[in-house]
Amino acid sequence: MSMRRGAEYVDFAGLRLDGRREREVRVFNSSLNVLSHADGSAYIEQGNTKVLAAVYGPSEPKNRGRVQHDKLLVTCEFSVAPFSSTERRKRGKGDKRSLEISFTIKKAMESLILTTLHPRSEVFISLHVLQSDGGIRAACMNAATMAIASAGIPMKDLLCGCSAACVDGSYLTDVNALEESTNSPEVLVGYLPNHDKIAVLQMESKIAMDGYDTLTESAVDGALQIYQVMKESLREHAAAQVVGRGKI
């Protein structure tokens, strides 16, 4: 399928098809502790992409052969619901794309969690995409971060994920499925705001160096916008927990 003209993605007023500016992220909503049997859980909506994350642990590893004596073992499972998009294509846990995303989230969480505080233990992260409209990896990164926070597992920062793509010369932050379908150069960033550090960086295709810098800057800018919403959501959740326990 050939790529549609760029003018159809960004109009003369600088607005994208969904009404956003080029560097504007999608609406971000989240709910914490939505699953009673998990140690931590989060449901997030990043635009029309919806992800459910559950965290179990830290606990004793089921497979003793995988025990790490000096740090926490992080394992991750990723799946996409068959009804998540109009394709209605079932994606199993073992297909290549799912394994790649699972590995990305696992490595991201290993860089985020203070793993040395829980040696000889394991934390299991389960991610389920309920509705897909682009930016799946970033949304899963954000859902996992929120779920880990709700589980009370110590982290060095909040890891905020955001994608950006260069569609016919326009640098678009937090791309949706339609914008992703152009197969334009795209970058995924996992950003640690309080450390001003990029912990995760993935490129989907080649781009000139000057374009790469602008593209990465666009993704980081989006991650900072998402950080503000995530931080406020966690603050409100913590306040509600304190009130619920009668501390105030």
Side-chain angles (χ1 to χ4, degrees), residues 143-215:
T145 298
M146 297 289 276
I148 289 170
S150 77
I153 299 173
M155 302 182 291
K156 64 180 67 173
D157 204 337
L158 291 180
L159 184 64
C160 307
C162 189
S163 61
C166 179
V167 181
D168 199 25
S170 295
Y171 293 88
L172 309 181
T173 301
D174 191 17
V175 291
N176 58 33
L178 181 61
E179 293 161 344
E180 282 185 343
S181 70
T182 63
N183 295 318
S184 301
E186 182 181 339
V187 67
L188 167 72
V189 160
Y191 188 66
L192 300 172
N194 294 307
H195 290 74
D196 190 22
K197 178 182 177 182
I198 295 176
V200 178
L201 181 63
Q202 292 185 345
M203 278 290 297
E204 286 295 317
S205 58
K206 295 180 180 179
I207 189 172
M209 185 56 68
D210 56 344
Y212 166 80
D213 290 339
T214 304
L215 194 59

Side-chain angles (χ1 to χ4, degrees), residues 16-27:
R16 294 148 75 173
L17 287 176
D18 57 9
R20 290 184 289 152
R21 297 287 181 182
E22 292 184 17
R23 286 209 174 187
E24 185 179 350
V25 299
R26 293 174 289 180
V27 175

Side-chain angles (χ1 to χ4, degrees), residues 100-119:
E100 287 176 351
I101 294 176
S102 177
F103 181 76
T104 296
I105 303 303
K106 167 184 161 63
K107 300 303 290 184
M109 295 304 111
E110 285 177 343
S111 71
L112 175 68
I113 298 171
L114 299 175
T115 56
T116 56
L117 297 182
H118 295 280

Side-chain angles (χ1 to χ4, degrees), residues 226-240:
I226 292 169
Y227 166 67
Q228 296 300 326
V229 183
M230 290 173 65
K231 182 174 66 172
E232 185 60 29
S233 178
L234 288 169
R235 182 181 291 116
E236 291 176 358
H237 175 73

Side-chain angles (χ1 to χ4, degrees), residues 48-92:
N48 289 323
T49 294
K50 303 177 181 181
V51 179
L52 179 65
V55 169
Y56 301 89
S59 58
E60 184 178 350
K62 294 181 179 180
N63 185 347
R64 292 182 177 273
R66 300 179 64 191
V67 171
Q68 300 186 54
H69 296 282
D70 59 341
K71 62 180 180 180
L72 178 72
L73 172 67
V74 179
T75 55
C76 182
E77 176 184 86
F78 169 86
S79 66
V80 179
F83 52 79
S84 65
S85 68
T86 55
E87 292 182 12
R88 302 196 184 283
R89 179 168 62 90
K90 186 175 181 180
R91 176 179 290 169

